[in-house]
Amino acid sequence: MISRPVNTRWRVGQSDVLSIVILIAVIMVVSAIFMVFSMVQFGNEVSQSSIEYVASFLTNVADDIDTFMFVPGAVLTYQLPNTNYGTYNFMNSLCVISVNTASNNNIINETTGGLVYGVPPTYFSLPPGFSSVWRGSTINGVPTSSLNDLSLIVSYQTRVLLGTSMAVLQFGYGNLNGINYGTYLVMVPRVMAINGTGPGGIGYVYIPVLNLISNQGRGRLIISIQNISSQSIVLRNGGILKISEVCYFGNGVKPISSSAVVLGNTVYVTIVQIGVGFG
């Protein structure tokens, strides 16, 4: 009589159960990895979309500032796009604007801030050194990928058709005023310089300056034309005024500067104080 193994069926069943448990565990781990990867990809895509959305929004705001810049007391109110992936800030002292005579005698020295929207590096990041000009190119104001096409001064001695009083720029990974961004947008003012018609003519310089007026929330953006002041500068013997603007856009970004010369017997320099507030 041949004896049979005891509990053979039970041992086979136990092995099957262990195999199934291991398989389920592997599937759960792979699913978790796939879910995390999908969430990261989703966050990246949404963050990138938020940058494009806010860039379009800031371009529209800049267009409105062009329209109302010379209307003292004008107040523009906007609902800030709520992306949930980025933050809005106002940075002081981003740009220095100066007006000098031919002998480098400084007449005007203004400091202006800028409106910033940035995405944390944990959500989305572009390489350091990345830059794009959404508004403010030297040719016609349309977006361009090269900072070489950027002009912080709109000189009507050259061909500039659109995008006058504000520039909207985008940069890659960097630190601006102690805050790390994976990528960020900055809206800063541009100087407008109009040459006089010959040495005996009249020239004009318009300098918009952005200042923070309130910081009560992040639901609304408020733009107000606070004050407009003007002074005339008489240049003898067909003199010139040298206009310059230098902006500092954070660590890793080389300071950007533009310059222009205005001719004329008399040059009127107008400073427009523009308030920026959050409410």
Side-chain angles (χ1 to χ4, degrees):
M1 181 176 179
I2 300 175
S3 60
R4 295 181 179 180
V6 181
N7 295 330
T8 301
R9 292 184 179 179
W10 181 85
R11 288 171 182 164
V12 172
Q14 186 183 45
S15 176
D16 291 342
V17 170
L18 290 175
S19 298
I20 293 173
V21 170
I22 294 173
L23 180 61
I24 292 174
V26 171
I27 292 174
M28 291 180 67
V29 170
V30 172
S31 299
I33 294 174
F34 178 77
M35 183 175 294
V36 170
F37 177 78
S38 298
M39 291 176 65
V40 170
Q41 287 297 107
F42 177 78
N44 286 345
E45 292 178 3
V46 173
S47 299
Q48 186 175 8
S49 297
S50 75
I51 284 287
E52 296 174 358
Y53 181 32
V54 175
S56 177
F57 167 73
L58 293 179
T59 298
N60 291 335
V61 172
D63 291 342
D64 291 343
I65 293 176
D66 279 351
T67 302
F68 292 94
M69 191 172 70
F70 298 110
V71 183
V75 178
L76 309 173
T77 303
Y78 307 88
Q79 192 71 30
L80 280 171
N82 184 13
T83 65
N84 293 321
Y85 282 87
T87 56
Y88 296 91
N89 288 291
F90 185 87
M91 299 297 181
N92 295 303
S93 306
L94 282 184
C95 303
V96 176
I97 301 167
S98 60
V99 178
N100 299 278
T101 63
S103 58
N104 291 322
N105 179 31
N106 184 255
I107 299 175
I108 294 173
N109 204 60
E110 287 285 340
T111 301
T112 177
L115 181 60
V116 178
Y117 172 84
V119 175
T122 51
Y123 284 151
F124 180 71
S125 187
L126 291 172
F130 170 87
S131 62
S132 181
V133 181
W134 287 88
R135 188 181 196 268
S137 67
T138 57
I139 298 177
N140 55 11
V142 299
T144 175
S145 60
S146 174
L147 288 179
N148 293 329
D149 294 328
L150 168 70
S151 177
L152 292 171
I153 296 179
V154 183
S155 175
Y156 286 91
Q157 302 169 68
T158 59
R159 182 187 170 200
V160 180
L161 304 178
L162 300 173
T164 52
S165 65
M166 296 287 150
V168 178
L169 313 174
Q170 181 183 357
F171 300 98
Y173 179 87
N175 183 289
L176 181 60
N177 200 31
I179 302 176
N180 288 323
Y181 295 108
T183 182
Y184 54 101
L185 296 164
V186 185
M187 184 179 77
V188 293
R190 308 168 74 200
V191 176
M192 288 168 281
I194 303 175
N195 214 20
T197 55
I202 298 176
Y204 300 89
V205 178
Y206 299 97
I207 303 175
V209 176
L210 296 183
N211 301 296
L212 183 65
I213 55 174
S214 65
N215 196 12
Q216 303 300 317
R218 290 297 182 269
R220 295 183 305 156
L221 174 66
I222 303 167
I223 303 292
S224 66
I225 310 302
Q226 296 177 295
N227 184 55
I228 300 176
S229 60
S230 184
Q231 62 176 295
S232 60
I233 301 172
V234 178
L235 304 172
R236 301 183 182 279
N237 302 320
I240 64 171
L241 281 184
K242 297 189 292 185
I243 320 298
S244 67
E245 180 172 359
V246 182
C247 293
Y248 304 88
F249 293 112
N251 296 341
V253 180
K254 184 179 178 181
I256 299 172
S257 64
S258 297
S259 61
V261 171
V262 176
L263 300 172
N265 182 65
T266 302
V267 178
Y268 292 92
V269 179
T270 300
I271 300 175
V272 182
Q273 300 287 344
I274 302 174
V276 178
F278 299 104

